[in-house]
Amino acid sequence: MGSSWSLVYVGDPLCSWCYGFAPQLERVRAAYAHLPLQLVMGGLRQDERPMDERLRAHLRRHWGEVAARTGQPFDLGWLRREDFVYTTEPACRAVITVRELQPRLGLPMFRAIQTAFYAQGRDVTRTEVLVELAASIGLPRQAFEPAFTSPELREATIDDVALAQRWGITGFPTLIAASEGEGHIVAPGCVDADTVIAQLRRLGVPGPR
């Protein structure tokens, strides 16, 4: 990875703790905006069956915990839908698509999906919704949709998940400071930005010039 430092964020836009971590990541990025950020999608869920009542009840409890701890807003109205398939593959693929087409827009797309799903209750497993979100951050349909639906981006999504697994990442979010081929986990989960910044300083990661 070269002699300079970079940040690697392993997560999933439909991971509730990644959503809870979003404000803390914003603070870290503000303090270390000069560092490159690599996004790796971990692939939280790839279910193909509609949610049952047991999973709905679990998510209500779990997301209530995330909301209480982080203050992030949740719209849980869509949990009443009996036909909803809670798979994160399309959302991960959408982020990877944007990352490949316009790298600087990868994180904005990640955030847009989080907000649409958790705060607005939108079904981000639908291609049309993801197309609209890509357009909202500056990537028009004619650029996004053909790439998003291509076999190459499906394979790229599989590759991202496999990479996270090879690295031994078992939970999201995970933020890594990387330099000279070595990675140091500075956020093993949803932690406060001050804790992350303190870790970066201990590693000797340079602050803004």
Side-chain angles (χ1 to χ4, degrees):
M1 297 183 186
S3 59
S4 59
W5 287 93
S6 64
L7 295 175
V8 182
Y9 182 44
V10 185
D12 188 305
L14 302 194
C15 158
S16 56
W17 283 117
C18 293
Y19 175 57
F21 182 59
Q24 306 307 318
L25 181 61
E26 289 274 1
R27 289 179 55 202
V28 173
R29 292 294 293 147
Y32 287 88
H34 59 292
L35 295 185
L37 177 68
Q38 176 187 355
L39 288 174
V40 176
M41 298 298 99
L44 180 67
R45 292 183 63 89
Q46 299 187 40
D47 208 338
E48 297 181 354
R49 297 169 298 173
M51 289 192 302
D52 57 23
E53 187 52 43
R54 182 176 181 179
L55 177 56
R56 285 204 236 349
H58 167 75
L59 291 176
R60 285 190 191 97
R61 289 192 302 270
H62 180 64
W63 292 348
E65 178 187 348
V66 176
R69 178 172 157 186
T70 67
Q72 288 283 72
F74 281 78
D75 178 350
L76 303 184
W78 63 266
L79 279 174
R80 292 190 291 271
R81 277 185 46 188
E82 295 185 359
D83 62 339
F84 183 73
V85 177
Y86 183 24
T87 174
T88 71
E89 192 276 343
C92 287
R93 178 160 36 103
V95 174
I96 293 168
T97 301
V98 173
R99 182 191 73 193
E100 296 302 306
L101 294 173
Q102 292 283 350
R104 65 182 180 82
L105 296 179
L107 187 57
M109 185 62 172
F110 191 94
R111 293 173 184 143
I113 294 172
Q114 288 179 314
T115 300
F117 183 65
Y118 284 113
Q120 300 169 357
R122 301 181 68 186
D123 184 353
V124 296
T125 67
R126 295 178 56 231
T127 297
E128 184 60 34
V129 173
L130 294 167
V131 167
E132 291 174 6
L133 293 175
S136 75
I137 62 162
L139 196 61
R141 174 188 291 269
Q142 59 267 32
F144 174 82
E145 189 169 16
F148 173 72
T149 57
S150 70
E152 290 80 9
L153 264 297
R154 294 181 187 275
E155 285 298 320
T157 305
I158 293 170
D159 291 344
D160 258 43
V161 175
L163 178 61
Q165 291 173 348
R166 285 200 303 273
W167 286 349
I169 304 299
T170 58
F172 315 126
T174 297
L175 187 65
I176 301 166
S179 179
E180 298 183 344
E182 293 189 7
H184 308 267
I185 294 177
V186 293
C190 182
V191 298
D192 185 80
D194 291 338
T195 300
V196 178
I197 291 169
Q199 289 267 56
L200 292 170
R201 287 173 177 162
R202 277 196 289 272
L203 288 170
V205 179
R209 294 177 179 84

